[in-house]
Amino acid sequence: VVARYHGRPAAEEAEAAFDRVFREHSVPEDVTEIDLPATDGTVYLPGLLADLGLAPSRSAARRLLAQGGVRIDGRKEQREEVPAGELRGAVLQVGRRRFVRLV
């Protein structure tokens, strides 16, 4: 379908992007960058997820953490308090399809 409307090169690029994210479980190339709130200590991850719109509420974010649905640079994260230094420059993944880079 993509080849028909956008050409063969666009179809091949879309297929490669799909494979990279969903088969190889790697980070997509076009990740949205979001500024991490300024703090020197720890970040309350459920609050951050809710504030960024990656979870509907802090309670839902805590459940996502407990169920292993949150990853930081590919590693499952279950802690609610995370040092800010670990988050700067990291890719935060919520579920299978939502990615943001924290800068």
Side-chain angles (χ1 to χ4, degrees):
V1 175
V2 175
R4 182 176 191 172
Y5 292 103
H6 300 284
R8 172 59 77 202
E12 291 171 356
E13 184 178 322
E15 182 179 14
F18 178 87
D19 289 345
R20 193 171 35 257
V21 174
F22 296 104
R23 288 188 180 171
E24 300 167 11
H25 302 288
S26 63
V27 178
E29 293 176 357
D30 57 342
V31 176
T32 304
E33 291 187 354
I34 295 179
D35 290 328
L36 184 65
T39 181
D40 292 332
T42 60
V43 174
Y44 182 62
L45 205 50
L48 179 66
L49 294 174
D51 292 345
L52 295 178
L54 297 171
S57 66
R58 290 175 182 227
S59 298
R62 282 193 301 275
R63 285 190 295 274
L64 280 169
L65 284 166
Q67 295 169 359
V70 177
R71 294 177 180 263
I72 297 175
D73 283 338
R75 295 182 319 271
K76 285 185 182 178
E77 185 60 60
Q78 293 186 323
R79 299 176 292 175
E80 290 186 8
E81 299 278 339
V82 179
E86 288 183 28
L87 293 176
R88 293 203 193 289
V91 174
L92 181 64
Q93 179 183 354
V94 179
R96 291 185 179 182
R97 298 184 179 152
R98 291 176 287 173
F99 296 87
V100 295
R101 182 177 310 277
L102 300 169
V103 292

